[in-house]
Amino acid sequence: MRAWSLNNVACRILNAHWASPGWRLSPFRYSTPSPVEKPYYVTSPIFYVNAGTDLLTKAGFSLNHKAPHIGHLYTLVLTDVFKRYHALKGRKAILCTGTDEHGLKIQQAAQQAHQDVRAFCNENYRSFEILAKRAEIQYDYFIRTSEPDHRFAVQHFWLMLKERGYIYTSKHEGWYSISDETFYPQSGIHLALDPSTGRKFMASRETGKEVEWSSEVNYHFRMSSLRDRLLQHYKDNPEFVQPSTRMQDVVQHVTAGLSDLSVSRPVKRLSWGIPVPDDPSQTIYVWLDALINYLTKANYPFQVPGQEHASGWPPDVHVIGKDIVRFHCIYWPAFLLALDLPLPKQIMTHAHWTLGREKMSKSTGIVVNPFFALDRFGSDTMRYYLIRDGGVKDDSDYDNMYIIDRYKSLQGTLGNLVTRVVRGKGWVVRRAVKFGRFHKSSEGKKHLEVLKELPLAVDHWMAQLQPGEALKKVLEVVNQTNQYMQHASPWTLASPTDRHGKPKPHHQTADAREINPIIYLCAESIRICAILLQPVMPGRMKHALDLMGVKEERRMLRDAVVGIDKEYGVPMVDIGEGRKGVVFPQLRSEF
């Protein structure tokens, strides 16, 4: 792999723009260190600080703050589930998210708010940072593209592209979308009508966003020269883009031909961004700027030879919405190929959320504020709902009643199962675990085999970037455990009386040797399912494992093996009565 280091040209130009007295860059010289294992590296896209809607939240914002929407939360939760799952496997895992703070739309939004653009960004990035914390997203890096280290990485990347002959100057004319921050060809636009005002305007066929004609001299990237290399990469890596339908779309687009890409705007048009390092009259194109954020937090260009993987590069997966496929699956690989840098292993492109079967849009007011949802239902409930119902290939419809229905289902299945086992009358979980034998009935043997296969099934679906399918597999086992327990009816065996309330004859009274195998299999099912559900519902599953008395250090994926843990069974929290000891308590409101 080509080492990432600062060469003489980059040092000379960057020193001219960055150096202060007593501080200068020099080309790096390294001794070769010992190799370091690559961490799992997963990223969300970075979010525009003017995204979302002007809604007051309970997170301490003023009315001027832009609230993120439910789609932002969905992307973050997907990213976090992947990170937590790989951490559960015992691997160091890194999650990067953040905000995209440059570009014409940000510049104009600040002007409309009568604010200095940097002050505008300093206020509005917080809503995304707080959303991540409220949803218990375990991010390692929250990048802001207005930060100095990112500016340095972008300018270095630019200079490397230029040194390799990929950057040239040319006049560019075309239809530009401020909202999408991209040019569209004539074939990609059409005359549109705003139904609310009757105003006609030119719009992108792809996104429906308004475009304007632009003619300017700027820098271009020789993307057309990378068409064959891109197609070869797609051929060699057929699962590069997920799902496969979007991989097919990408291949079709590139096969049809690529044009060179405009990668700068004149400063007189766009002043809020990263300057071209050797031409202050031009500002670097916001998408080139934004995409490099994934490299910035992987310590680019300060990589030590022999330890290029230490900070996670290349990413194991980029998680993005389907609306930014072109930028991540065509432009971004092309930029990286130009510098012979390793490409991301996979890009997961998820579908969108609708509301009442209509596309969400802040312009129409059809939106869902995630802070309100988190306040009402709680973090784990929302995480569960988004993973269970969220679409990867097809859009999903958001509805509060669906959330309530899914939660009630959890209460009646997993919640009821845990309560039945830990509060059982006539048995003790610790005694059953210590007894350590399973029910020899045909139903017990069948359920035991299903339980043994569950971690492999979950791992398969997680490797396929389908956490919703992995979740469904766990829920199937929860349902089967309830059915098994209902059929085995240990409470009937433990009861000294028959169904009419009369004392049982001595020969009909079961002893612990009959009841313990049933309880042990149910307890093992709860323990393993709760371990596997931790990436989706970390808080509720911690409580479930506490109720089962599973030690903190025995909650990894390697512990999700039948019979491997013989030490649990004594609750670590008060099982009490009513809400105490309940994994899924009643919602505060069902309206």
Side-chain angles (χ1 to χ4, degrees), residues 46 50 62 68-69 105 112 119 132 156 200 223 249 253 280 329 346 365 440 463 532 578:
I46 51 176
N50 74 322
S62 70
H69 57 66
K105 73 158 92 174
Q112 292 169 6
H156 182 269
K200 294 181 180 180
M223 191 163 65
D249 293 340
H253 184 98
C329 304
Q346 286 188 293
K440 294 182 179 180
L532 295 172

Side-chain angles (χ1 to χ4, degrees), residues 42-53:
V42 60
T43 71
S44 80
I46 51 176
F47 307 113
Y48 281 122
V49 290
N50 74 322
T53 55

Side-chain angles (χ1 to χ4, degrees), residues 567-587:
E567 299 177 358
Y568 75 97
V570 178
M572 299 162 64
V573 292
D574 183 9
I575 63 173
E577 294 181 358
R579 288 176 66 91
K580 281 188 177 181
V582 174
V583 180
F584 301 104
Q586 293 298 315
L587 291 172

Side-chain angles (χ1 to χ4, degrees), residues 46 115 218 222 270 279 301 311 314 344 411 471 475 524:
I46 51 176
Q115 282 185 285
N218 50 29
R222 300 184 191 275
L270 173 63
D279 183 357
S311 53
Q411 287 177 314
L471 176 59
L475 297 178
E524 279 292 86

Side-chain angles (χ1 to χ4, degrees), residues 177-225:
S177 167
I178 295 174
S179 180
D180 298 332
E181 295 282 14
T182 190
F183 281 97
Y184 287 102
Q186 185 67 40
S187 60
I189 60 101
H190 70 131
L191 184 64
L193 177 69
D194 185 340
S196 62
T197 65
R199 187 176 73 91
K200 294 181 180 180
F201 60 95
M202 302 305 293
S204 161
R205 292 183 184 275
E206 181 180 343
T207 66
K209 302 296 185 182
E210 186 168 357
V211 297
E212 61 182 24
W213 182 258
S214 177
S215 177
E216 57 195 36
V217 174
N218 50 29
Y219 289 98
H220 286 66
F221 170 66
R222 300 184 191 275
M223 191 163 65
S224 59
S225 68

Side-chain angles (χ1 to χ4, degrees), residues 45 184 206-207 223 230 234 240-254 287 291 294 318-334 347-352 392-393:
Y184 287 102
E206 181 180 343
T207 66
M223 191 163 65
L230 280 170
Y234 301 149
F240 177 61
V241 179
Q242 292 293 318
S244 60
T245 51
R246 295 199 186 99
M247 178 81 255
Q248 294 166 10
D249 293 340
V250 167
V251 171
Q252 184 178 8
H253 184 98
V254 176
W287 270 103
L291 289 163
Y294 305 126
H318 288 319
V319 179
I320 64 169
K322 66 180 183 179
D323 55 320
I324 51 176
V325 166
R326 177 159 47 101
F327 306 101
H328 282 79
C329 304
I330 300 176
Y331 295 1
W332 182 222
I347 302 176
M348 178 199 184
T349 68
H350 65 75
H352 291 164
V392 175
K393 182 179 179 181

Side-chain angles (χ1 to χ4, degrees), residues 23 27 59 61 64 95-96 111 127 145 172 187 219 223 236 282 289 312 349 352 394 438 489 521 525 532 538 557 590:
W23 184 93
F61 307 131
N64 290 327
L95 189 163
C96 182
Q111 291 170 352
S127 59
T145 57
H172 188 89
S187 60
Y219 289 98
M223 191 163 65
D236 295 341
Q282 293 277 322
D289 166 357
T349 68
H352 291 164
D394 300 312
F438 295 109
S489 190
L521 183 52
S525 298
L532 295 172
L557 192 63
E590 294 188 7

